[in-house]
């Protein structure tokens, strides 16, 4: 059934279709609509969930962790300062291997205060033990909530997942979304059946003090789950594609990469605009393509190596700055492609919510094409930034 | 380089002893470092501390595995811990014990100095805190540090924290122990089985480290496993309750950090399970009618 809805609405429907049982929440722009829609669903009896209004995001993640440990399927959503406020609890959830799904509406992390799209908020949580997937439209946002539960609850993974959606660009934009049927989602996503839960009748110790004799093995175990997640993500993507007819590619997606001489690695909604730019540049005879980075954790190092083997230069778009010089994606791509001698050019744009226009994306391709031809190009480029030349 | 490992129990001041020894070494113009190993610390639990002394700057930041000297602040540790593990063959053990070295079985014949530091401490400090006394014995046994330097370090460290008087009393405890130290050779009869530990590989580790009741070759794990952790050996004192005075207010039951005071019935009597009483005295301190007296559990 097609519905013309916002990204936030799509995410809320995704949580409802996934039959989330506990939703602790604290509102924050631009995530607020998600919480409001879920509150309505629960109030109207459309969704059989315990909706908990908490006093802070720190408490939200505490409640989410406890509810998940008790065996419930848990959903929540946050953004920016809210994600920062629950930072401590993010680190408690993941090593416990609790399959919570939390949508982050990407927003500037102050200071300076700002409510518009930027990836600095979720990038700061990249090493908290959560899987992260970035989406490009409202359909993918809804679908990834459902897929995220399958990934998170898979016994080979058992890790929390954070689907990231660009603030305002998706959260407050309406577009047509094909809403899956409940019975189809039910057959795709069976109920959550954990082996051990918080149960007074069968006591268990969760998150107890661990001496140095144990923590290294626990960390190694968690790292192993991230490795296994790569295969699981791809399997579940294929299963979803078969059932619902939408194939997102798994860890990454590619667009017109077959004979591309230059690739731009994109993340979030800029992928979407870049598809049109690629079509236009292709018409002009430029052999360009896109590699859409979907999962940032685990990082798709092997996939990138495979799809980028034929190109002459790689452009990397970042909507966040890591203060080592470039952005987070650039950092990881360089690390993943270590040993490859082709130029890797970082394109910083859209930070603080500045619109990433087609002109800016064309400029990214231009610079990367120049680098492919052996011309000298700066490694790190601040696009559309006063005082900078690109 | 001279390396020392201190074995004590939480509350006995092993860490302070290690630090004070380091300060004394520095007073003599040497370089020294001292550091604790913090386990799941609480009053009475076995603790470790280390001191390294050298003429030049010490760069090593690891624990000490082959000490030149082992200092044991509490001889009840000998039942469960192989204190001489890794000790160099020419090394020395300095031990708080009422026994002579010849009567102390360390599972190894080794140069040993003994002193009844608990008695010294009770007499001079009025508390069973043996860390300064045992340092005096260390000075006598090893000759690594002059007793005068130790006294100066003790006065400075303890004096600064607890007042000049306390500093002087502790220096006196060190001097008294120094003079009463007996040096000889330990016996080497008993075989101390190394304590079995549950050390799962990362694949064997329960997912997320979440533990249910279970048994391993090292004993119980998970909820309820603490039952194996008897702590009576930690106690210098044990509580004795005067039933006549007791008003059944239950404050002792509430405050006991080991949960070892048991309500036999809702109305009925209280019972202290001495297997799990570490002798901390919290119950006696909390009792509003002074119905609990702490009596010496061992000498
Ligand atoms: S001395 Fe008292 S408070 Fe301390 S462990 Fe024993 S019974 Fe409990
Ligand atoms: S605190 Fe004292 S009076 Fe109260 S129950 Fe314990 S022993 Fe009795």
């Amino acid at each position: 059934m097609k519905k013309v809805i916002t990204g936030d609405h799509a995410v809320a429907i995704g949580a409802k279709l996934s039959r989330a049982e506990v939703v602790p929440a604290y509102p924050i722009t631009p995530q607020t609509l998600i919480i409001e829609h879920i509150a309505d669903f629960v109030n109207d009896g459309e969704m059989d969930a315990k909706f908990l209004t908490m006093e802070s995001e720190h408490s939200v993640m505490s409640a989410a962790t406890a509810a998940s440990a008790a065996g419930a399927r848990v959903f929540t959503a946050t953004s920016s300062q809210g994600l920062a406020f629950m930072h401590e609890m993010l680190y408690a959830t993941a090593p416990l291997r609790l399959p919570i799904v939390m949508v982050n509406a990407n927003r500037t992390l102050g200071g300076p205060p700002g409510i518009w799209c930027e990836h600095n908020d979720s990038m700061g949580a990249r090493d908290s033990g959560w899987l992260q997937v970035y989406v490009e439209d409202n359909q993918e946002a809804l679908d990834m909530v459902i897929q995220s539960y399958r990934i998170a609850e898979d016994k080979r993974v058992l890790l929390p997942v954070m689907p990231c959606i660009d603030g305002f660009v998706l959260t407050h934009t309406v577009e047509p979304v094909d809403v899956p049927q409940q019975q189809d989602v039910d057959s795709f996503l069976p109920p959550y059946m954990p082996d051990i839960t918080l149960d007074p009748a069968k006591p268990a110790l969760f998150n107890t003090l661990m001496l140095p004799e144990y923590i290294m093995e626990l960390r190694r175990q968690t790292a192993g789950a991230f490795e296994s997640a790569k295969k699981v993500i791809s399997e579940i993507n294929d299963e979803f594609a078969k059932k619902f007819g939408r194939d997102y590619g798994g860890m990454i997606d590619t667009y017109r990469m077959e004979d591309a001489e230059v690739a731009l690695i994109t993340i979030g909604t800029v992928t979407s605009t870049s598809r049109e730019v690629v079509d236009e540049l292709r018409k002009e005879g430029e052999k360009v393509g896109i590699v859409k980075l979907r999962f940032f954790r685990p990082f798709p190092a092997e996939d990138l190596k495979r799809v980028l083997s034929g190109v002459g230069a790689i452009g990397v778009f970042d909507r966040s700055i890591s203060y080592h010089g470039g952005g987070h994606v650039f950092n990881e791509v360089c690390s993943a492609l270590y040993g490859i001698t082709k130029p890797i050019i970082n394109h910083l744009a859209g930070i603080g919510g500045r619109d990433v226009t087609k002109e800016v994306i064309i400029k990214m391709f231009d610079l990367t094409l120049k680098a492919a031809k052996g011309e000298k190009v700066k490694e790190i480029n601040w696009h559309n930034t006063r005082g900078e030349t690109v | 380089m001279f390396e020392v490992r201190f074995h004590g129990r939480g509350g006995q001041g092993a860490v302070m002893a290690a630090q004070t020894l380091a300060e004394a070494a520095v007073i003599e113009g040497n370089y020294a470092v001292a550091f604790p190993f913090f386990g799941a610390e609480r009053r009475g639990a076995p603790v470790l501390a280390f001191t390294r002394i050298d003429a030049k700057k010490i760069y090593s930041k690891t624990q000490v595995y082959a000490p030149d000297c082992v200092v044991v602040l509490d001889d009840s540790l000998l039942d469960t811990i192989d204190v001489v593990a890794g000790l160099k063959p020419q090394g020395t053990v300095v031990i708080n014990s009422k026994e002579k070295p010849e009567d102390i079985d360390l599972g190894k014949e080794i140069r040993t100095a003994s002193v009844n530091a608990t008695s010294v401490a009770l007499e001079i400090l009025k508390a069973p805190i043996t860390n300064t006394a045992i340092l005096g014995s260390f000075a006598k046994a090893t000759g690594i540090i002059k007793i005068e330097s130790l006294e100066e370090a003790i006065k400075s460290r303890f004096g600064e924290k607890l007042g000049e008087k306390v500093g002087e009393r502790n220096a006196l405890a060190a001097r008294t122990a120094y003079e009463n130290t007996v040096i000889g050779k330990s016996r080497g009869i008993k075989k101390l089985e190394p304590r079995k530990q549950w050390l799962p590989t990362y694949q064997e580790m329960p997912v997320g480290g979440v533990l249910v009741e279970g048994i391993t070759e090292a004993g119980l794990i998970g909820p309820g496993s603490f039952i194996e952790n008897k702590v009576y050996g930690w106690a210098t004192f044990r509580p004795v309750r005067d039933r006549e005075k007791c008003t059944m207010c239950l404050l002792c039951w509430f405050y006991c950090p080991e949960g070892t005071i048991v309500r036999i019935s809702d109305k009925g009597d209280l019972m202290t399970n001495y297997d799990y009483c570490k002798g901390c005295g919290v119950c006696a301190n909390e009792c509003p009618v002074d119905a609990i007296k702490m009596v010496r559990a061992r000498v």
Side-chain angles (χ1 to χ4, degrees):
Chain A
M1 185 197 10
K2 288 262 188 222
K3 274 186 140 182
V4 181
I5 51 176
T6 63
D8 275 358
H9 197 168
V11 161
I13 292 172
K16 184 179 76 168
L17 289 171
S18 301
R19 296 194 187 276
E21 297 161 297
V22 177
V23 184
Y26 191 91
I28 177 169
T29 303
Q31 154 266 35
T32 319
L33 299 176
I34 301 175
I35 299 308
E36 286 175 0
H37 282 296
I38 291 179
D40 283 346
F41 295 155
V42 174
N43 185 57
D44 299 346
E46 281 176 53
M47 187 173 173
D48 184 17
K50 182 94 190 149
F51 185 82
L52 302 164
T53 50
M54 306 303 293
E55 73 274 27
S56 78
E57 283 89 352
H58 190 278
S59 308
V60 165
M61 193 40 65
S62 307
T65 301
S68 183
R73 182 173 281 160
V74 180
F75 179 83
T76 187
T78 191
S79 178
S80 176
Q81 318 294 138
L83 184 66
F85 195 10
M86 62 172 68
H87 199 67
E88 180 186 14
M89 293 312 299
L90 295 178
Y91 278 79
T93 309
L96 276 170
R97 311 289 295 280
L98 298 171
I100 298 168
V101 174
M102 173 172 70
V103 167
N104 183 64
N106 283 105
R107 159 183 158 176
T108 306
L109 184 57
I115 57 168
W116 302 276
C117 181
E118 185 182 273
H119 291 168
N120 264 97
D121 56 353
S122 52
M123 285 299 169
R126 69 194 178 279
D127 293 327
S128 62
W130 286 63
L131 272 62
Q132 284 189 347
V133 56
Y134 291 77
V135 304
E136 67 170 299
D137 60 28
N138 293 353
Q139 183 72 59
E140 193 183 8
L142 188 156
D143 291 346
M144 282 321 291
V145 171
I146 297 167
Q147 280 196 44
S148 289
Y149 279 109
R150 274 291 303 274
I151 297 163
E153 292 169 9
D154 191 291
K155 293 264 156 40
R156 293 165 291 177
V157 180
L158 286 176
L159 284 167
V161 183
M162 188 188 300
C164 296
I165 66 171
D166 281 357
F168 294 102
V169 190
L170 293 184
T171 59
H172 287 62
T173 300
V174 296
E175 61 180 343
V177 172
D178 191 354
V179 176
Q181 295 295 310
Q182 183 67 61
Q183 67 265 28
D184 291 340
V185 176
D186 286 345
S187 69
F188 176 77
L189 177 65
Y192 174 43
M193 302 290 261
D195 290 339
I196 302 169
T197 58
L198 276 178
D199 176 0
K202 203 166 174 286
L205 294 177
F206 284 74
N207 211 14
T208 48
L209 179 84
M210 270 200 190
L211 296 176
E213 281 89 351
Y214 301 99
I215 295 184
M216 194 116 180
E217 281 70 26
L218 189 74
R219 294 277 183 260
R220 177 64 187 83
Q221 190 192 69
T222 309
F226 271 84
E227 253 334 286
S228 325
K230 293 178 178 177
K231 187 164 173 269
V232 173
I233 287 165
S234 148
E235 283 174 18
I236 287 168
N237 174 78
D238 296 350
E239 203 185 310
F240 187 92
K242 253 191 226 126
K243 181 146 201 99
F244 298 96
R246 290 185 291 276
D247 185 347
Y248 293 105
M251 296 277 286
I252 60 168
D253 191 15
T254 56
Y255 184 63
R256 301 191 82 166
M257 279 298 295
E258 304 76 49
D259 59 341
E261 284 162 6
V262 149
L264 181 65
I265 299 177
T266 57
I267 184 165
T269 50
V270 162
T271 308
S272 197
T273 318
S274 300
R275 289 178 193 271
E276 287 184 15
V277 172
V278 164
D279 290 344
E280 286 163 25
L281 291 176
R282 283 261 172 185
K283 266 187 217 138
E284 292 164 22
E286 303 286 8
K287 289 192 169 167
V288 293
I290 307 167
V291 177
K292 169 187 176 184
L293 192 68
R294 299 187 72 241
F295 278 84
F296 190 77
R297 285 288 181 271
F299 195 79
E302 299 82 7
D303 298 280
L304 290 181
K305 268 187 209 145
R306 180 170 42 81
V307 300
L308 293 168
S309 60
V311 301
I314 301 155
V316 182
F317 162 69
D318 264 298
R319 205 161 194 157
S320 60
I321 173 75
S322 147
Y323 298 119
H324 74 293
H328 296 91
V329 181
F330 177 66
N331 206 1
E332 300 275 341
V333 167
C334 288
S335 155
L337 301 184
Y338 175 74
I340 288 174
T341 50
K342 52 189 79 165
I344 307 177
I345 308 297
N346 196 192
H347 303 289
L348 295 162
I351 288 171
R354 188 162 297 182
D355 198 21
V356 184
T357 61
K358 282 189 181 172
E359 288 68 33
V360 169
I361 296 168
I362 289 167
K363 189 82 196 172
M364 293 178 193
F365 277 114
D366 280 352
L367 288 173
T368 315
L369 281 161
K370 269 191 192 163
K373 285 180 195 119
E375 286 178 46
K376 211 174 145 42
V377 177
K378 272 198 291 186
E379 192 175 55
I380 291 157
N381 299 278
W382 287 75
H383 286 265
N384 194 15
T385 310
R386 291 181 299 278
E388 269 287 334
T389 46
V390 291
Chain B
M1 180 144 50
F2 194 87
E3 299 181 303
V4 189
R5 184 174 67 215
F6 290 83
H7 291 273
R9 295 193 180 279
Q12 288 174 338
V15 177
M16 191 74 160
Q19 291 175 345
T20 308
L21 176 57
E23 184 160 338
V26 172
I27 288 169
E28 292 186 356
N30 281 311
Y31 194 94
V33 295
F35 53 97
F37 174 75
F38 280 110
E41 247 57 315
R42 56 198 177 120
R43 208 169 183 82
V47 296
L48 282 179
F50 306 94
T51 305
R52 278 198 177 94
I53 303 170
D54 204 355
K56 53 185 197 303
K57 181 174 162 94
I58 296 163
Y59 289 95
S60 180
K61 291 279 186 278
T62 73
Q63 291 173 34
V64 170
Y65 296 99
D68 299 276
C69 178
V70 168
V71 180
V72 184
L73 278 81
D74 186 326
D75 63 353
S76 73
L77 290 164
L78 300 181
D79 301 338
T80 48
I81 293 170
D82 183 14
V83 296
V84 293
L87 180 65
K88 295 207 179 97
Q90 307 79 10
T92 303
V93 177
V94 179
I95 186 162
N96 169 20
S97 171
K98 63 181 183 350
E99 312 283 353
K100 298 214 165 12
E102 294 67 43
D103 299 325
I104 300 172
D105 187 358
L106 295 176
K108 204 184 222 175
E109 278 185 30
I110 196 141
R111 190 170 177 271
T112 298
S114 77
V115 70
N116 193 341
T118 306
S119 279
V120 171
L122 283 174
E123 201 172 292
I124 299 175
L125 308 172
K126 313 289 176 224
I129 298 176
T130 54
N131 55 356
T132 43
I134 203 80
L135 281 180
S137 190
F138 170 87
K140 179 69 160 276
T142 64
I144 280 293
I145 201 94
K146 289 203 215 49
I147 182 70
E148 291 76 19
S149 317
L150 258 181
E151 285 172 327
E152 190 182 334
I154 289 170
K155 280 186 209 158
S156 123
R157 271 193 113 63
F158 286 73
E160 216 170 77
K161 272 197 173 172
L162 305 164
E164 207 177 307
K165 279 238 166 58
V166 179
E168 272 163 17
R169 273 209 300 278
N170 275 281
L172 179 61
R175 173 67 77 167
T176 310
Y178 179 85
E179 278 157 8
N180 287 292
T181 297
V182 184
I183 298 173
K185 229 182 181 67
S186 65
R187 288 197 292 163
I189 299 164
K190 74 169 168 197
K191 289 267 160 291
L192 225 155
E193 288 281 313
R195 194 167 60 90
K196 284 214 177 93
Q197 249 190 310
W198 177 59
L199 295 171
T201 63
Y202 79 87
Q203 296 93 338
E204 291 161 354
M205 163 106 47
V207 173
V210 174
L211 292 179
V212 291
E213 280 175 30
I215 186 152
T216 69
E217 55 163 16
L220 299 175
I221 55 164
S225 60
F226 215 69
I227 198 138
E228 289 189 340
N229 203 348
K230 298 195 174 163
V231 298
Y232 58 87
W234 300 5
T236 313
F237 297 101
R238 53 156 57 188
V240 175
R241 199 160 51 96
D242 182 341
R243 281 155 205 270
E244 297 299 308
K245 273 193 181 176
C246 172
T247 63
M248 284 300 290
C249 72
L250 294 182
L251 278 177
C252 58
W253 169 80
F254 185 79
Y255 277 105
C256 171
E258 297 294 321
T260 189
I261 302 173
V262 188
R263 294 169 70 183
I264 296 168
S265 71
D266 268 355
K267 273 214 206 98
D269 206 1
L270 295 175
M271 193 186 81
T272 304
N273 187 339
Y274 287 116
D275 280 354
Y276 303 101
C277 168
K278 62 184 182 182
C280 64
V282 167
C283 52
N285 202 44
E286 292 301 331
C287 177
V289 296
D290 277 334
I292 300 176
K293 289 274 165 295
M294 299 302 291
V295 301
R296 192 79 189 272
R298 61 191 155 80
V299 191

